[in-house]
Amino acid sequence: MPVLGGKKSSYRERVADALRAALIAGELRPGQVYSAPALAARFGVSATPVREAMLDLAKEGLVDTVPNKGFRVTAVTEKQLDEYTQIRSLIEIPTTVALARTADPVSLEALRPAAREIVAAAAAGDLIAYVEADTRFHLGLLALAGNGHLVEVVGDLRKRSRLYGLTALVEAGRLLASAQEHLELLDALLARDENAVRAVMTRHLGHVRGQWAAHG
């Protein structure tokens, strides 16, 4: 996990974001109990912001509190993951395709740094940074549609996703190709090519329950 620094007031939010990313990427595994002091040591911060962040995740249903021990990561079934991905596809694909007609090119270009961060994280094998940048990119893109509730729903579904196959993809050197799809998507949007946008988004979301999800 990354060592988090910066202003103390931002610890809780930053730690919570990193913990969510660690859950999604499988660096924190379901059924295992993690203590706040142990996690704090891995993050390089004090136990208090970690404990507070874990309580936030407990409210979201991502972990359960275990008295006098810490927090247990909640398990997610394959059926639940399939359902989450189906809902995301129904929302994200048509919404993103519509942005090829409506999105301001300047706003789209503003997402390019996040897309490059995703590529850099994939190249470095930093799964937490990959998931965080990926979340920032996709929610930022959906926000251009102007529907805050839609962004909130997709954000919640993304938190509940599990991408345990990312580690194997890094080891096989294959995550970089998936990361570069974000730049491909931006280029298709800027070209106003709806068919290309639909193709990239369909392929990209297909990874969520395909190669990104594989346990082996």
Side-chain angles (χ1 to χ4, degrees):
M1 289 189 186
V3 174
L4 299 180
K7 295 182 180 179
K8 206 167 188 178
S9 61
S10 68
Y11 278 176
R12 177 174 181 164
E13 184 177 348
R14 294 176 65 201
V15 171
D17 286 343
L19 285 168
R20 289 188 194 96
L23 284 169
I24 293 167
E27 295 199 15
L28 298 179
R29 303 295 283 190
Q32 292 192 21
V33 177
Y34 297 90
S35 71
L39 288 173
R42 292 166 71 174
F43 278 93
V45 297
S46 67
T48 298
V50 173
R51 189 174 291 108
E52 291 173 343
M54 291 299 273
L55 289 172
D56 289 340
L57 268 60
K59 291 176 184 175
E60 296 170 10
L62 303 181
V63 299
D64 296 316
T65 57
V66 181
N68 303 317
K69 290 187 178 180
F71 302 87
R72 179 185 292 111
V73 177
T74 56
V76 183
T77 68
E78 295 294 314
K79 184 175 186 295
Q80 286 175 312
L81 292 174
D82 287 338
E83 289 172 351
Y84 299 158
T85 305
Q86 181 183 26
I87 297 168
R88 284 184 57 189
S89 296
L90 291 170
I91 295 173
E92 292 187 64
I93 293 174
T95 301
T96 306
V97 169
L99 289 174
R101 298 190 301 273
T102 63
D104 171 41
V106 174
S107 299
L108 289 171
E109 277 295 347
L111 293 169
R112 197 171 292 276
R116 288 176 175 149
E117 280 183 51
I118 297 167
V119 173
D126 187 340
L127 297 185
I128 293 179
Y130 182 96
V131 171
E132 288 187 307
D134 183 69
T135 299
R136 213 162 52 244
F137 174 88
H138 284 287
L139 295 187
L141 181 61
L142 291 173
L144 299 182
N147 187 329
H149 292 294
L150 181 150
V151 176
E152 186 177 340
V153 168
V154 173
D156 182 67
L157 291 169
R158 290 180 66 92
K159 290 175 188 175
R160 298 176 188 284
S161 297
R162 298 291 181 269
L163 305 173
Y164 296 152
L166 293 182
T167 300
L169 287 176
V170 169
E171 293 171 351
R174 291 166 50 206
L175 187 59
L176 192 57
S178 296
Q180 290 169 336
E181 289 176 346
H182 298 84
L183 293 168
E184 184 183 350
L185 177 61
L186 273 185
D187 291 340
L189 285 164
L190 287 162
R192 304 298 191 192
D193 189 336
E194 294 182 37
N195 290 331
V197 171
R198 182 178 289 103
V200 176
M201 276 301 296
T202 301
R203 181 187 349 131
H204 192 66
L205 276 177
H207 298 326
V208 174
R209 293 301 294 140
Q211 57 181 333
W212 292 359
H215 286 73

